[in-house]
Amino acid sequence: ADNIGKKFNEYYTSEKNLLGLVDPSFNNILPNIQHIDLLTANPGNNIVTFVFGTTEAITFSVELTNLISKKTLNNVVGVLPGKTKPNEFVIFSGHYDHLGVGSPEEGAKHTSTDSIYNGANDDAAGTTAVIMLAKYFKKQNNNERTIIFTTFVAEEIGGYGAKYFSQQLAPEKVIAMFNIEMIGTESKWGKNSAYITGYDKSNMGQILQTNLTGTNFTFYSDPYPEQQLFYRSDNATLAKLGVPAHTISTSKMDNEPTYHTVDDEFETLDIDNMTQIIKSIAVSSSSIISGKDTPTRVNTTELK
Ligand SMILES: [Zn+2]
């Protein structure tokens, strides 16, 4: 029960009709989830209802009316074919969706002057990184392995874009995945640093750090293991198929005031630091792009 986010997601994405009673001690997560009912990925099949503040089920009568409108959403993908190893893929990714627009009807958190969830850090920052890396590697024009640049849709409602993407290619062909999430603020160690989720799940982090020897940039292992970030972002789907797929982030998960608020605005980003992070990702990936290094696979039997 101490990992409410993960449980909530499991139930929310379930295909059964469920009635969940949530202990009052979790009432503080209400503002984070109130928008979710309007953002269902597979509407119309089942109903998942959460009741907050009740610990005992006596009798419940739940009446629901759903207004369903379907939208087709797309991942955005660009490919630079590899010169000598075209069937070995290296992926750079981010997600371009966020939480949308808050309104009193939805109950989503907003202020009277601002209802737009810009998502500048989460994850326009990662999307920017993917675009810059695509420009850079296109200019370099020397990638031995194929590079796939992608920005996913529907991350925030359960990683649906990444799930679809992972079904379009053979996971054994994917050598490494750099998923980039929230790199617009300073990490807990300050400038010129970022962390890698699931650092110990493959040796990819060590390869990246070795390639940064002599620079002033450091990749650390994820300092928020209790948050299960390795399983929460778009790297998770491919990681579960054995791909060394990690997320690179600077987000201070215990102290990031704009996280999932309408204040996640461009002005809050440290663009100079972000530029250094993107450059460092490029440098750190060089031996993987060239085919010199191949990260170890993720041992899927050890995953949750
Ligand atoms: Zn995100």
Side-chain angles (χ1 to χ4, degrees):
D2 47 11
N3 193 356
I4 179 77
K6 201 176 167 218
K7 272 283 159 214
F8 181 86
N9 195 50
E10 180 189 324
Y11 293 140
Y12 155 68
T13 55
S14 148
E15 279 159 21
K16 296 177 192 158
N17 290 320
L18 290 177
L19 177 70
L21 306 183
V22 187
D23 190 273
S25 63
F26 295 117
N27 283 358
N28 61 334
I29 72 161
L30 269 170
N32 291 335
I33 59 170
Q34 272 172 338
H35 62 278
I36 285 179
D37 58 338
L38 289 189
L39 293 169
T40 307
N42 292 307
N45 301 325
N46 64 313
I47 294 169
V48 182
T49 306
F50 294 95
V51 180
F52 279 78
T54 310
T55 50
E56 246 181 295
I58 307 156
T59 308
F60 279 100
S61 164
V62 180
E63 211 172 291
L64 287 169
T65 310
N66 281 332
L67 177 67
I68 298 168
S69 60
K70 285 200 178 186
K71 280 184 187 144
T72 304
L73 305 168
N74 298 293
N75 295 325
V76 180
V77 182
V79 179
L80 281 179
K83 306 277 179 205
T84 56
K85 297 170 190 286
N87 290 318
E88 297 182 10
F89 307 150
V90 179
I91 299 170
F92 291 100
S93 63
H95 70 89
Y96 74 85
D97 66 300
H98 193 48
L99 302 174
V101 179
S103 73
E105 293 77 33
E106 288 178 39
K109 240 203 229 171
H110 66 286
T111 68
S112 54
T113 52
D114 189 2
S115 59
I116 300 169
Y117 288 76
N118 310 72
N121 193 29
D122 182 12
D123 186 28
T127 300
T128 303
V130 172
I131 294 168
M132 297 313 291
L133 289 162
K135 273 192 164 172
Y136 169 76
F137 285 112
K138 168 80 182 162
K139 212 170 167 190
Q140 293 288 104
N141 193 28
N142 62 0
N143 53 298
E144 302 298 343
R145 284 175 165 146
T146 291
I147 314 178
I148 301 176
F149 304 93
T150 177
T151 57
F152 298 123
V153 71
E155 190 271 350
E156 301 285 5
I157 57 168
Y160 291 93
K163 269 176 211 160
Y164 178 83
F165 176 88
S166 72
Q167 291 156 1
Q168 312 307 313
L169 71 180
E172 60 274 12
K173 289 185 178 174
V174 183
I175 302 300
M177 179 194 212
F178 297 75
N179 185 54
I180 307 162
E181 263 264 31
M182 299 186 278
I183 55 166
T185 58
E186 276 184 29
S187 80
K188 66 174 280 190
W189 303 278
K191 290 185 194 295
N192 293 309
S193 66
Y195 61 84
I196 299 177
T197 66
Y199 194 93
D200 56 348
K201 302 262 188 298
S202 80
N203 71 348
M204 190 168 142
Q206 291 161 37
I207 292 170
L208 305 193
Q209 197 48 51
T210 302
N211 288 333
L212 289 172
T213 307
T215 73
N216 64 350
F217 195 93
T218 310
F219 278 125
Y220 293 93
S221 129
D222 169 13
Y224 313 103
E226 71 287 351
Q227 295 254 8
Q228 307 279 345
L229 299 176
F230 184 67
Y231 299 96
R232 275 173 55 191
S233 188
D234 279 333
N235 64 291
T237 319
L238 279 169
K240 282 179 185 157
L241 299 170
V243 176
H246 301 269
T247 291
I248 294 170
S249 180
T250 58
S251 182
K252 297 177 287 301
M253 295 308 290
D254 50 359
N255 176 30
E256 203 65 79
T258 70
Y259 178 71
H260 282 197
T261 74
V262 292
D263 297 324
D264 184 356
E265 305 258 10
F266 174 76
E267 290 71 25
T268 67
L269 305 186
D270 182 337
I271 295 298
D272 290 338
N273 189 45
M274 212 174 105
T275 306
Q276 288 310 314
I277 295 165
I278 297 168
K279 283 183 179 168
S280 299
I281 292 171
V283 171
S284 71
S285 69
S286 57
S287 66
I288 298 175
I289 303 288
S290 73
K292 179 174 161 272
D293 283 324
T294 300
T296 55
R297 308 298 286 179
V298 166
N299 182 351
T300 53
T301 60
E302 285 173 8
L303 298 183
K304 295 189 180 171

